[in-house]
């Protein structure tokens, strides 16, 4: 069998979870910066969410996007990404209001102050009421990852973009200058890369890509109006350890 046909055969044998089993994680995106003195409480909350078991109430996928617009001060966030800034600006257009830190966006639909634990957990609970999402899986294949998206439950014209996000589960940073000078920050699920894998048109589809920068990865299926339709994560690398950054 030709290699291309063999790959196709292997992928066709992979079974996506059924629509009933597709109880996807609620996605919480935190827009933050190491130069923002108001951000450490929000980052601590993201850390708690990242370590809470899924339990009967379902799973949460928290992701910390470090923006670039604080870098003009005398501390440069080593994890700041232009893609994070652009993503927050896109949310500001959809949700109304300015971009700020710390801002949390839940399932692409609700924006609030990222340190507001009561409000954030209430928004997560409301997002769970939407029910199961589009089934999705993300798996390693050597130096690549394979993303599989299931079909929409009906022929209602559902569509969206498939996003691959590389992130590190944990970082410890000693901040030497700026608003957080002298503090040691513990930060969880720090996004290191964001890649658009292509468009999903409502039918089952498979996407492959080189493994992204970051110790592990997540997959988001996002509708054109910003709603998160599906999400999946890779298991954390067994060799993953905390890193310390000193700047």
């Amino acid at each position: 069998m030709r290699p291309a046909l063999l790959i196709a055969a292997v992928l066709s044998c992979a079974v996506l979870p059924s629509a009933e089993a597709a109880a996807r994680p609620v996605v919480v995106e935190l827009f933050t910066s190491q130069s923002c003195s108001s951000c450490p409480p929000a980052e601590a909350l993201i850390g708690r969410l990242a370590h809470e078991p899924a339990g009967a109430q379902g799973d949460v996928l928290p992701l910390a996007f470090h923006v670039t617009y604080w870098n003009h001060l005398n501390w440069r966030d080593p994890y700041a990404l232009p893609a994070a800034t652009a993503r927050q600006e896109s949310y500001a257009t959809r949700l109304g209001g300015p971009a700020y830190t710390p801002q949390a966006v839940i399932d692409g639909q609700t924006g609030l102050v990222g340190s507001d634990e009561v409000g954030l957990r209430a928004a997560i609970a409301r997002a769970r009421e939407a029910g199961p999402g589009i089934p999705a899986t993300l798996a390693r294949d050597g130096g690549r990852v394979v993303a599989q998206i299931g079909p929409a439950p009906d022929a209602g014209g559902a569509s969206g973009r498939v996003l691959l996000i590389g992130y590190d589960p944990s970082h410890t940073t000693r901040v030497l200058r700026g608003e957080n000078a002298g503090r040691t920050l513990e930060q969880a699920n720090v996004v290191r890369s964001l890649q658009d894998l292509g468009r999903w048109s409502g039918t089952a589809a498979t996407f492959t890509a080189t493994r992204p920068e970051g110790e592990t990865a997540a997959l988001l299926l996002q509708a054109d109006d910003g709603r998160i339709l599906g999400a999946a994560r890779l298991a954390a690398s067994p060799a993953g350890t905390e890193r310390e950054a000193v700047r």
Side-chain angles (χ1 to χ4, degrees):
M1 182 179 291
R2 293 180 181 176
L5 295 178
L6 177 60
I7 292 172
V10 170
L11 292 176
S12 67
C13 292
V15 178
L16 281 167
S18 67
E20 285 187 352
R24 64 167 183 81
V26 174
V27 178
V28 176
E29 301 176 58
L30 175 68
F31 295 94
T32 184
S33 171
Q34 290 185 358
S35 291
C36 164
S37 62
S38 301
C39 288
E43 290 163 350
L45 175 54
I46 287 295
R48 291 195 295 275
L49 290 173
H51 290 96
E52 288 177 358
Q57 297 302 313
D59 192 10
V60 176
L61 173 59
L63 296 167
F65 288 84
H66 289 228
V67 298
T68 58
Y69 51 81
W70 282 91
N71 283 352
H72 68 281
L73 302 179
N74 62 349
W75 178 257
R76 184 176 182 84
D77 188 328
Y79 309 116
L81 289 175
T85 304
R87 186 163 177 80
Q88 188 184 28
E89 289 173 349
S90 177
Y91 277 134
T93 299
R94 290 193 186 111
L95 302 177
Y100 62 92
T101 56
Q103 181 186 27
V105 177
I106 294 83
D107 261 359
Q109 299 182 80
T110 303
L112 47 76
V113 176
S115 55
D116 178 3
E117 183 163 2
V118 172
L120 191 147
R121 290 188 182 276
I124 290 172
R126 288 194 298 272
R128 288 195 178 111
E129 294 174 358
I134 303 298
T137 63
L138 184 63
R140 294 180 177 87
D141 181 15
R144 301 180 69 79
V145 292
V146 179
Q148 290 189 283
I149 310 295
D154 53 47
S159 63
R161 308 298 302 185
V162 179
L163 306 177
L164 178 64
I165 297 174
Y167 67 96
D168 296 337
S170 179
H171 279 287
T172 300
T173 303
R174 295 200 304 270
V175 179
L176 304 181
R177 295 177 298 278
E179 289 191 0
N180 288 316
R183 303 183 71 166
T184 296
L185 303 181
E186 303 288 343
Q187 297 173 308
N189 290 16
V190 177
V191 172
R192 306 304 307 279
S193 59
L194 190 157
Q195 182 181 354
D196 187 333
L197 298 187
R199 189 158 190 82
W200 173 77
S201 60
T203 59
T206 299
F207 301 81
T208 61
T210 302
R211 286 184 60 179
E213 181 178 355
E215 294 174 17
T216 187
L219 176 72
L220 303 183
L221 174 60
Q222 189 161 29
D224 294 336
D225 63 3
R227 289 176 299 129
I228 302 297
L229 303 176
R233 54 158 69 85
L234 282 174
S237 170
T241 57
E242 288 189 356
R243 300 177 181 177
E244 182 173 290
V246 180
R247 296 292 186 275

